[in-house]
Structure formats: C-alpha cells, structure tokens
Amino acid sequence: MNAAERRARILELLAERGAVRATELATAFGVSEVTVRKDLAALEAEGLLKRVHGGALYRPRALFNPSFEEKRHRQTAQKRAIAEEALARIEENDAILLDAGTTTLELARVLNGRFSRLFVITNSVPIALELAGTPFELVLTGGTVRHHSGALIGPLAVAALEGFQVDKAFLGATGVSLEKGYTTPNPLEAQTKRAMLHAARTRIVLADSTKLGHATLARFAKLEEVDELITDAGAPAGFVNRFREQGLSLTVVEAGPA
C-alpha cells in the first residue's frame, strides 16, 4: 500500500469512526508510527482532518466545502477528460439529465456541436445558461437555489424530476466512499440527487480522483445503485481494485494538458 492508498484509507476510517489512533493505523498498514504521522500531517495540511495527541479527528468536508468558482479552477484537465469519456455514453436523440456541478458543467460544454437533437433536463443554473443557445430541448427544474453552486434543490426540484423518465443521468459527488457510497454535504441536495437516480434508466457518476475515499454529510446512493463511476488516473490503485472487486463498473481516464 503506497502513501496515496494509505491516506485514502485513513480518510475512510475517519468517516466511519470519527477518530483514529496512530498506533492502530501503523499496525493495520504494517508501517511505522513515524510514517503514519507524516500521512496525518499531509492530510491535515489539505484540511481533511484535525490532528490530536496520538491520532486524528474527522473533519467533515461540509465544514469547508469550497465554492463553485473555486472548484471550477481545480482539476480542470481531469474534469475535461472525464467529460469527454462521458460524452461517449450519449447518443443522438437521447433524453439526459445533468446534475449540478463543475464536472457536469464540463460535460455540458462538450455537448454543444456534437449533437443536433437531445432532450436535456438539469437542476443547474450554470448548465442551463451554457446550453441556452443550443438546438437542444432544455428543461430547468424548479427548486430553491443553492447559492454555493447554482443548484436547484429541495421539494420543488424533486417534484419536477418525478415527472420524467430519461435514458441517462450524469451526476456529480463530493465524496465516494467504499463504505458510505456516494455523498454530498447538503441533505436537500442528496434528496434531489436521489430523485435524479430514480428518473433515469442508466445512472453515471462523474467524480475526479480527489473525491475518492471520502464521505461527506449526506449519502444519496449506495455504490450498487450507480451503473458506472468515471474518474481520472489519479485514483488510488487500492480504491480502484476494491471497487471493482465488488463487481462495480469504474472507468479511469487519462487527463491531457490543462
């Protein structure tokens, strides 16, 4: 197990237990406590946990979730590569659902010019603006605007989604954990994402590798409730192997230059 795999596993254990001890981690991973302390220090520097004497405490991402604009400028090459891969799942005349998020926004951008007839439903104000000038049939759900991301969420969004059945849904996730599944920091957003899953025959999650091995506040899907996860080559090998060992579909793409 390399450093990236250890650190992903540490975050998973923290999400499950709330706290970990350095001695237990050293024994579990077969490494020294010095190595574990270096792992904890690196994760704390990223704001992913809080070190305490003898170990670390869970620091949920809900407490420091970056803004939509901040996220738009992170992992840009990876998100573009994931979007191009997702594009291969779409066919002319498809009815598709695009969740709010920066990776799904990249998918919206590459749709234009590739197809002439699509029916697109989204709960994302930025995606609706991106696609407003295209020849596609476009539906923007109602709902409460989450100013953090421009997402429309809550009962009105859920009620709108219940009236549709689409070919494919493309969703984002703030965390993908082997134990907790697909998560988001906002419970109302999780409710809206679940409605998207129920509205689609095929469900695909687009998540760059920084989301893997983490769990945030609210789960919107178990791993087996999603048909495919598309991520980038930064995904820890241990996560990829354990994910596929469960019989789940995961596609890893190589990112080009940013």
PDB file of all heavy atoms in Angstrom, residues 109-140:
ATOM      1  N   ARG A 109     -20.536  21.610 -21.706  1.00  0.00           N
ATOM      2  CA  ARG A 109     -19.750  22.388 -22.670  1.00  0.00           C
ATOM      3  C   ARG A 109     -19.362  21.566 -23.891  1.00  0.00           C
ATOM      4  O   ARG A 109     -19.357  22.076 -25.015  1.00  0.00           O
ATOM      5  CB  ARG A 109     -18.502  22.933 -21.979  1.00  0.00           C
ATOM      6  CG  ARG A 109     -18.801  24.090 -21.041  1.00  0.00           C
ATOM      7  CD  ARG A 109     -17.588  24.505 -20.249  1.00  0.00           C
ATOM      8  NE  ARG A 109     -17.858  25.703 -19.465  1.00  0.00           N
ATOM      9  CZ  ARG A 109     -17.203  26.053 -18.378  1.00  0.00           C
ATOM     10  NH1 ARG A 109     -16.213  25.291 -17.933  1.00  0.00           N
ATOM     11  NH2 ARG A 109     -17.519  27.141 -17.727  1.00  0.00           N
ATOM     12  N   VAL A 110     -19.023  20.292 -23.689  1.00  0.00           N
ATOM     13  CA  VAL A 110     -18.592  19.487 -24.833  1.00  0.00           C
ATOM     14  C   VAL A 110     -19.766  18.916 -25.621  1.00  0.00           C
ATOM     15  O   VAL A 110     -19.586  18.412 -26.728  1.00  0.00           O
ATOM     16  CB  VAL A 110     -17.628  18.358 -24.404  1.00  0.00           C
ATOM     17  CG1 VAL A 110     -16.363  18.928 -23.797  1.00  0.00           C
ATOM     18  CG2 VAL A 110     -18.286  17.376 -23.445  1.00  0.00           C
ATOM     19  N   LEU A 111     -20.980  18.989 -25.064  1.00  0.00           N
ATOM     20  CA  LEU A 111     -22.156  18.531 -25.803  1.00  0.00           C
ATOM     21  C   LEU A 111     -22.426  19.400 -27.023  1.00  0.00           C
ATOM     22  O   LEU A 111     -22.821  18.904 -28.080  1.00  0.00           O
ATOM     23  CB  LEU A 111     -23.395  18.578 -24.898  1.00  0.00           C
ATOM     24  CG  LEU A 111     -23.606  17.476 -23.877  1.00  0.00           C
ATOM     25  CD1 LEU A 111     -24.835  17.781 -23.038  1.00  0.00           C
ATOM     26  CD2 LEU A 111     -23.748  16.126 -24.546  1.00  0.00           C
ATOM     27  N   ASN A 112     -22.244  20.691 -26.852  1.00  0.00           N
ATOM     28  CA  ASN A 112     -22.581  21.632 -27.916  1.00  0.00           C
ATOM     29  C   ASN A 112     -21.715  21.384 -29.144  1.00  0.00           C
ATOM     30  O   ASN A 112     -20.486  21.342 -29.060  1.00  0.00           O
ATOM     31  CB  ASN A 112     -22.392  23.069 -27.420  1.00  0.00           C
ATOM     32  CG  ASN A 112     -23.046  24.076 -28.344  1.00  0.00           C
ATOM     33  OD1 ASN A 112     -23.809  23.709 -29.231  1.00  0.00           O
ATOM     34  ND2 ASN A 112     -22.740  25.343 -28.142  1.00  0.00           N
ATOM     35  N   GLY A 113     -22.349  21.203 -30.282  1.00  0.00           N
ATOM     36  CA  GLY A 113     -21.631  20.940 -31.518  1.00  0.00           C
ATOM     37  C   GLY A 113     -21.442  19.469 -31.818  1.00  0.00           C
ATOM     38  O   GLY A 113     -21.071  19.101 -32.932  1.00  0.00           O
ATOM     39  N   ARG A 114     -21.659  18.600 -30.843  1.00  0.00           N
ATOM     40  CA  ARG A 114     -21.503  17.150 -31.047  1.00  0.00           C
ATOM     41  C   ARG A 114     -22.830  16.484 -31.421  1.00  0.00           C
ATOM     42  O   ARG A 114     -22.833  15.396 -31.997  1.00  0.00           O
ATOM     43  CB  ARG A 114     -20.958  16.483 -29.789  1.00  0.00           C
ATOM     44  CG  ARG A 114     -19.690  17.110 -29.220  1.00  0.00           C
ATOM     45  CD  ARG A 114     -18.483  16.908 -30.098  1.00  0.00           C
ATOM     46  NE  ARG A 114     -17.297  17.455 -29.466  1.00  0.00           N
ATOM     47  CZ  ARG A 114     -16.457  16.754 -28.706  1.00  0.00           C
ATOM     48  NH1 ARG A 114     -16.670  15.473 -28.484  1.00  0.00           N
ATOM     49  NH2 ARG A 114     -15.407  17.341 -28.161  1.00  0.00           N
ATOM     50  N   PHE A 115     -23.935  17.100 -31.039  1.00  0.00           N
ATOM     51  CA  PHE A 115     -25.254  16.530 -31.300  1.00  0.00           C
ATOM     52  C   PHE A 115     -26.180  17.628 -31.810  1.00  0.00           C
ATOM     53  O   PHE A 115     -25.990  18.807 -31.528  1.00  0.00           O
ATOM     54  CB  PHE A 115     -25.852  15.929 -30.015  1.00  0.00           C
ATOM     55  CG  PHE A 115     -25.033  14.829 -29.406  1.00  0.00           C
ATOM     56  CD1 PHE A 115     -24.138  15.103 -28.388  1.00  0.00           C
ATOM     57  CD2 PHE A 115     -25.142  13.526 -29.860  1.00  0.00           C
ATOM     58  CE1 PHE A 115     -23.370  14.103 -27.824  1.00  0.00           C
ATOM     59  CE2 PHE A 115     -24.383  12.513 -29.303  1.00  0.00           C
ATOM     60  CZ  PHE A 115     -23.489  12.800 -28.285  1.00  0.00           C
ATOM     61  N   SER A 116     -27.185  17.214 -32.550  1.00  0.00           N
ATOM     62  CA  SER A 116     -28.177  18.180 -33.020  1.00  0.00           C
ATOM     63  C   SER A 116     -29.519  18.008 -32.318  1.00  0.00           C
ATOM     64  O   SER A 116     -30.305  18.957 -32.241  1.00  0.00           O
ATOM     65  CB  SER A 116     -28.361  18.073 -34.537  1.00  0.00           C
ATOM     66  OG  SER A 116     -28.715  16.745 -34.894  1.00  0.00           O
ATOM     67  N   ARG A 117     -29.773  16.787 -31.786  1.00  0.00           N
ATOM     68  CA  ARG A 117     -31.053  16.544 -31.122  1.00  0.00           C
ATOM     69  C   ARG A 117     -30.826  15.824 -29.788  1.00  0.00           C
ATOM     70  O   ARG A 117     -30.435  14.653 -29.763  1.00  0.00           O
ATOM     71  CB  ARG A 117     -31.993  15.712 -31.995  1.00  0.00           C
ATOM     72  CG  ARG A 117     -32.504  16.448 -33.236  1.00  0.00           C
ATOM     73  CD  ARG A 117     -33.462  15.569 -34.040  1.00  0.00           C
ATOM     74  NE  ARG A 117     -34.615  15.171 -33.245  1.00  0.00           N
ATOM     75  CZ  ARG A 117     -35.718  15.909 -33.099  1.00  0.00           C
ATOM     76  NH1 ARG A 117     -35.794  17.094 -33.690  1.00  0.00           N
ATOM     77  NH2 ARG A 117     -36.736  15.485 -32.385  1.00  0.00           N
ATOM     78  N   LEU A 118     -31.044  16.549 -28.707  1.00  0.00           N
ATOM     79  CA  LEU A 118     -31.006  15.976 -27.360  1.00  0.00           C
ATOM     80  C   LEU A 118     -32.112  16.619 -26.542  1.00  0.00           C
ATOM     81  O   LEU A 118     -32.483  17.781 -26.779  1.00  0.00           O
ATOM     82  CB  LEU A 118     -29.666  16.249 -26.669  1.00  0.00           C
ATOM     83  CG  LEU A 118     -28.420  15.504 -27.131  1.00  0.00           C
ATOM     84  CD1 LEU A 118     -27.211  15.993 -26.335  1.00  0.00           C
ATOM     85  CD2 LEU A 118     -28.576  13.997 -26.975  1.00  0.00           C
ATOM     86  N   PHE A 119     -32.616  15.878 -25.571  1.00  0.00           N
ATOM     87  CA  PHE A 119     -33.533  16.435 -24.572  1.00  0.00           C
ATOM     88  C   PHE A 119     -32.763  16.465 -23.271  1.00  0.00           C
ATOM     89  O   PHE A 119     -32.354  15.413 -22.769  1.00  0.00           O
ATOM     90  CB  PHE A 119     -34.786  15.567 -24.448  1.00  0.00           C
ATOM     91  CG  PHE A 119     -35.870  16.203 -23.622  1.00  0.00           C
ATOM     92  CD1 PHE A 119     -36.892  16.922 -24.215  1.00  0.00           C
ATOM     93  CD2 PHE A 119     -35.862  16.096 -22.236  1.00  0.00           C
ATOM     94  CE1 PHE A 119     -37.892  17.511 -23.459  1.00  0.00           C
ATOM     95  CE2 PHE A 119     -36.848  16.682 -21.468  1.00  0.00           C
ATOM     96  CZ  PHE A 119     -37.868  17.394 -22.073  1.00  0.00           C
ATOM     97  N   VAL A 120     -32.514  17.658 -22.741  1.00  0.00           N
ATOM     98  CA  VAL A 120     -31.660  17.818 -21.566  1.00  0.00           C
ATOM     99  C   VAL A 120     -32.464  18.411 -20.416  1.00  0.00           C
ATOM    100  O   VAL A 120     -33.091  19.468 -20.561  1.00  0.00           O
ATOM    101  CB  VAL A 120     -30.453  18.725 -21.865  1.00  0.00           C
ATOM    102  CG1 VAL A 120     -29.548  18.820 -20.637  1.00  0.00           C
ATOM    103  CG2 VAL A 120     -29.669  18.211 -23.075  1.00  0.00           C
ATOM    104  N   ILE A 121     -32.415  17.733 -19.274  1.00  0.00           N
ATOM    105  CA  ILE A 121     -33.014  18.246 -18.046  1.00  0.00           C
ATOM    106  C   ILE A 121     -31.871  18.517 -17.070  1.00  0.00           C
ATOM    107  O   ILE A 121     -30.965  17.687 -16.929  1.00  0.00           O
ATOM    108  CB  ILE A 121     -33.979  17.226 -17.419  1.00  0.00           C
ATOM    109  CG1 ILE A 121     -35.061  16.816 -18.410  1.00  0.00           C
ATOM    110  CG2 ILE A 121     -34.611  17.780 -16.138  1.00  0.00           C
ATOM    111  CD1 ILE A 121     -35.860  15.605 -17.974  1.00  0.00           C
ATOM    112  N   THR A 122     -31.910  19.656 -16.412  1.00  0.00           N
ATOM    113  CA  THR A 122     -30.866  19.963 -15.435  1.00  0.00           C
ATOM    114  C   THR A 122     -31.447  20.742 -14.265  1.00  0.00           C
ATOM    115  O   THR A 122     -32.463  21.430 -14.393  1.00  0.00           O
ATOM    116  CB  THR A 122     -29.710  20.763 -16.080  1.00  0.00           C
ATOM    117  OG1 THR A 122     -28.658  20.927 -15.122  1.00  0.00           O
ATOM    118  CG2 THR A 122     -30.178  22.137 -16.553  1.00  0.00           C
ATOM    119  N   ASN A 123     -30.789  20.618 -13.127  1.00  0.00           N
ATOM    120  CA  ASN A 123     -31.124  21.441 -11.957  1.00  0.00           C
ATOM    121  C   ASN A 123     -30.022  22.465 -11.698  1.00  0.00           C
ATOM    122  O   ASN A 123     -29.913  22.995 -10.598  1.00  0.00           O
ATOM    123  CB  ASN A 123     -31.324  20.561 -10.722  1.00  0.00           C
ATOM    124  CG  ASN A 123     -30.012  19.988 -10.202  1.00  0.00           C
ATOM    125  OD1 ASN A 123     -29.138  19.613 -10.987  1.00  0.00           O
ATOM    126  ND2 ASN A 123     -29.862  19.913  -8.887  1.00  0.00           N
ATOM    127  N   SER A 124     -29.226  22.745 -12.727  1.00  0.00           N
ATOM    128  CA  SER A 124     -28.079  23.644 -12.593  1.00  0.00           C
ATOM    129  C   SER A 124     -28.306  24.917 -13.392  1.00  0.00           C
ATOM    130  O   SER A 124     -28.460  24.877 -14.624  1.00  0.00           O
ATOM    131  CB  SER A 124     -26.812  22.950 -13.093  1.00  0.00           C
ATOM    132  OG  SER A 124     -25.764  23.872 -13.269  1.00  0.00           O
ATOM    133  N   VAL A 125     -28.296  26.049 -12.703  1.00  0.00           N
ATOM    134  CA  VAL A 125     -28.407  27.329 -13.407  1.00  0.00           C
ATOM    135  C   VAL A 125     -27.220  27.540 -14.349  1.00  0.00           C
ATOM    136  O   VAL A 125     -27.415  27.936 -15.512  1.00  0.00           O
ATOM    137  CB  VAL A 125     -28.554  28.484 -12.400  1.00  0.00           C
ATOM    138  CG1 VAL A 125     -28.517  29.831 -13.111  1.00  0.00           C
ATOM    139  CG2 VAL A 125     -29.853  28.328 -11.602  1.00  0.00           C
ATOM    140  N   PRO A 126     -25.954  27.294 -13.924  1.00  0.00           N
ATOM    141  CA  PRO A 126     -24.831  27.456 -14.866  1.00  0.00           C
ATOM    142  C   PRO A 126     -24.946  26.564 -16.105  1.00  0.00           C
ATOM    143  O   PRO A 126     -24.610  27.001 -17.215  1.00  0.00           O
ATOM    144  CB  PRO A 126     -23.606  27.075 -14.018  1.00  0.00           C
ATOM    145  CG  PRO A 126     -24.013  27.377 -12.616  1.00  0.00           C
ATOM    146  CD  PRO A 126     -25.464  27.016 -12.548  1.00  0.00           C
ATOM    147  N   ILE A 127     -25.413  25.327 -15.944  1.00  0.00           N
ATOM    148  CA  ILE A 127     -25.561  24.443 -17.106  1.00  0.00           C
ATOM    149  C   ILE A 127     -26.668  24.946 -18.022  1.00  0.00           C
ATOM    150  O   ILE A 127     -26.535  24.922 -19.258  1.00  0.00           O
ATOM    151  CB  ILE A 127     -25.817  22.995 -16.653  1.00  0.00           C
ATOM    152  CG1 ILE A 127     -24.531  22.394 -16.070  1.00  0.00           C
ATOM    153  CG2 ILE A 127     -26.324  22.132 -17.817  1.00  0.00           C
ATOM    154  CD1 ILE A 127     -24.686  20.998 -15.496  1.00  0.00           C
ATOM    155  N   ALA A 128     -27.780  25.409 -17.449  1.00  0.00           N
ATOM    156  CA  ALA A 128     -28.866  25.944 -18.266  1.00  0.00           C
ATOM    157  C   ALA A 128     -28.387  27.132 -19.090  1.00  0.00           C
ATOM    158  O   ALA A 128     -28.725  27.266 -20.279  1.00  0.00           O
ATOM    159  CB  ALA A 128     -30.039  26.336 -17.377  1.00  0.00           C
ATOM    160  N   LEU A 129     -27.585  28.008 -18.485  1.00  0.00           N
ATOM    161  CA  LEU A 129     -27.048  29.154 -19.214  1.00  0.00           C
ATOM    162  C   LEU A 129     -26.090  28.690 -20.318  1.00  0.00           C
ATOM    163  O   LEU A 129     -26.071  29.265 -21.415  1.00  0.00           O
ATOM    164  CB  LEU A 129     -26.322  30.090 -18.249  1.00  0.00           C
ATOM    165  CG  LEU A 129     -27.226  30.836 -17.254  1.00  0.00           C
ATOM    166  CD1 LEU A 129     -26.376  31.573 -16.225  1.00  0.00           C
ATOM    167  CD2 LEU A 129     -28.147  31.803 -17.980  1.00  0.00           C
ATOM    168  N   GLU A 130     -25.303  27.661 -20.034  1.00  0.00           N
ATOM    169  CA  GLU A 130     -24.359  27.129 -21.020  1.00  0.00           C
ATOM    170  C   GLU A 130     -25.085  26.576 -22.250  1.00  0.00           C
ATOM    171  O   GLU A 130     -24.614  26.728 -23.384  1.00  0.00           O
ATOM    172  CB  GLU A 130     -23.506  26.031 -20.374  1.00  0.00           C
ATOM    173  CG  GLU A 130     -22.457  25.421 -21.270  1.00  0.00           C
ATOM    174  CD  GLU A 130     -21.313  26.370 -21.587  1.00  0.00           C
ATOM    175  OE1 GLU A 130     -20.998  27.245 -20.750  1.00  0.00           O
ATOM    176  OE2 GLU A 130     -20.735  26.228 -22.684  1.00  0.00           O
ATOM    177  N   LEU A 131     -26.234  25.941 -22.029  1.00  0.00           N
ATOM    178  CA  LEU A 131     -26.943  25.254 -23.111  1.00  0.00           C
ATOM    179  C   LEU A 131     -28.087  26.070 -23.694  1.00  0.00           C
ATOM    180  O   LEU A 131     -28.770  25.604 -24.620  1.00  0.00           O
ATOM    181  CB  LEU A 131     -27.486  23.903 -22.607  1.00  0.00           C
ATOM    182  CG  LEU A 131     -26.435  22.885 -22.162  1.00  0.00           C
ATOM    183  CD1 LEU A 131     -27.119  21.612 -21.664  1.00  0.00           C
ATOM    184  CD2 LEU A 131     -25.462  22.555 -23.298  1.00  0.00           C
ATOM    185  N   ALA A 132     -28.308  27.268 -23.191  1.00  0.00           N
ATOM    186  CA  ALA A 132     -29.475  28.052 -23.614  1.00  0.00           C
ATOM    187  C   ALA A 132     -29.464  28.379 -25.111  1.00  0.00           C
ATOM    188  O   ALA A 132     -30.515  28.489 -25.731  1.00  0.00           O
ATOM    189  CB  ALA A 132     -29.557  29.341 -22.796  1.00  0.00           C
ATOM    190  N   GLY A 133     -28.303  28.508 -25.710  1.00  0.00           N
ATOM    191  CA  GLY A 133     -28.230  28.856 -27.127  1.00  0.00           C
ATOM    192  C   GLY A 133     -28.089  27.669 -28.057  1.00  0.00           C
ATOM    193  O   GLY A 133     -27.861  27.851 -29.255  1.00  0.00           O
ATOM    194  N   THR A 134     -28.232  26.472 -27.550  1.00  0.00           N
ATOM    195  CA  THR A 134     -28.072  25.265 -28.370  1.00  0.00           C
ATOM    196  C   THR A 134     -29.416  24.842 -28.968  1.00  0.00           C
ATOM    197  O   THR A 134     -30.469  25.317 -28.543  1.00  0.00           O
ATOM    198  CB  THR A 134     -27.527  24.102 -27.517  1.00  0.00           C
ATOM    199  OG1 THR A 134     -28.534  23.719 -26.565  1.00  0.00           O
ATOM    200  CG2 THR A 134     -26.264  24.523 -26.778  1.00  0.00           C
ATOM    201  N   PRO A 135     -29.380  23.907 -29.933  1.00  0.00           N
ATOM    202  CA  PRO A 135     -30.646  23.431 -30.514  1.00  0.00           C
ATOM    203  C   PRO A 135     -31.358  22.395 -29.643  1.00  0.00           C
ATOM    204  O   PRO A 135     -32.425  21.888 -30.023  1.00  0.00           O
ATOM    205  CB  PRO A 135     -30.189  22.798 -31.839  1.00  0.00           C
ATOM    206  CG  PRO A 135     -28.792  22.353 -31.581  1.00  0.00           C
ATOM    207  CD  PRO A 135     -28.208  23.374 -30.649  1.00  0.00           C
ATOM    208  N   PHE A 136     -30.812  22.059 -28.484  1.00  0.00           N
ATOM    209  CA  PHE A 136     -31.393  21.013 -27.648  1.00  0.00           C
ATOM    210  C   PHE A 136     -32.700  21.475 -27.000  1.00  0.00           C
ATOM    211  O   PHE A 136     -32.888  22.664 -26.721  1.00  0.00           O
ATOM    212  CB  PHE A 136     -30.429  20.591 -26.537  1.00  0.00           C
ATOM    213  CG  PHE A 136     -29.047  20.245 -27.002  1.00  0.00           C
ATOM    214  CD1 PHE A 136     -27.942  20.517 -26.208  1.00  0.00           C
ATOM    215  CD2 PHE A 136     -28.838  19.652 -28.238  1.00  0.00           C
ATOM    216  CE1 PHE A 136     -26.669  20.202 -26.623  1.00  0.00           C
ATOM    217  CE2 PHE A 136     -27.563  19.329 -28.667  1.00  0.00           C
ATOM    218  CZ  PHE A 136     -26.469  19.614 -27.863  1.00  0.00           C
ATOM    219  N   GLU A 137     -33.586  20.519 -26.737  1.00  0.00           N
ATOM    220  CA  GLU A 137     -34.723  20.777 -25.866  1.00  0.00           C
ATOM    221  C   GLU A 137     -34.182  20.833 -24.439  1.00  0.00           C
ATOM    222  O   GLU A 137     -33.528  19.886 -23.987  1.00  0.00           O
ATOM    223  CB  GLU A 137     -35.757  19.662 -25.990  1.00  0.00           C
ATOM    224  CG  GLU A 137     -36.427  19.571 -27.340  1.00  0.00           C
ATOM    225  CD  GLU A 137     -37.391  20.721 -27.575  1.00  0.00           C
ATOM    226  OE1 GLU A 137     -37.918  21.270 -26.596  1.00  0.00           O
ATOM    227  OE2 GLU A 137     -37.609  21.064 -28.752  1.00  0.00           O
ATOM    228  N   LEU A 138     -34.425  21.923 -23.755  1.00  0.00           N
ATOM    229  CA  LEU A 138     -33.814  22.151 -22.448  1.00  0.00           C
ATOM    230  C   LEU A 138     -34.875  22.428 -21.401  1.00  0.00           C
ATOM    231  O   LEU A 138     -35.730  23.297 -21.587  1.00  0.00           O
ATOM    232  CB  LEU A 138     -32.839  23.330 -22.533  1.00  0.00           C
ATOM    233  CG  LEU A 138     -32.120  23.753 -21.263  1.00  0.00           C
ATOM    234  CD1 LEU A 138     -31.202  22.651 -20.755  1.00  0.00           C
ATOM    235  CD2 LEU A 138     -31.327  25.039 -21.508  1.00  0.00           C
ATOM    236  N   VAL A 139     -34.812  21.694 -20.296  1.00  0.00           N
ATOM    237  CA  VAL A 139     -35.721  21.903 -19.166  1.00  0.00           C
ATOM    238  C   VAL A 139     -34.887  22.192 -17.923  1.00  0.00           C
ATOM    239  O   VAL A 139     -33.970  21.435 -17.590  1.00  0.00           O
ATOM    240  CB  VAL A 139     -36.605  20.661 -18.919  1.00  0.00           C
ATOM    241  CG1 VAL A 139     -37.411  20.831 -17.630  1.00  0.00           C
ATOM    242  CG2 VAL A 139     -37.536  20.425 -20.099  1.00  0.00           C
ATOM    243  N   LEU A 140     -35.199  23.279 -17.248  1.00  0.00           N
ATOM    244  CA  LEU A 140     -34.569  23.620 -15.975  1.00  0.00           C
ATOM    245  C   LEU A 140     -35.590  23.362 -14.870  1.00  0.00           C
ATOM    246  O   LEU A 140     -36.680  23.913 -14.891  1.00  0.00           O
ATOM    247  CB  LEU A 140     -34.147  25.090 -15.976  1.00  0.00           C
ATOM    248  CG  LEU A 140     -33.478  25.634 -14.711  1.00  0.00           C
ATOM    249  CD1 LEU A 140     -32.161  24.917 -14.438  1.00  0.00           C
ATOM    250  CD2 LEU A 140     -33.247  27.133 -14.828  1.00  0.00           C
TER     251      LEU A 140
END
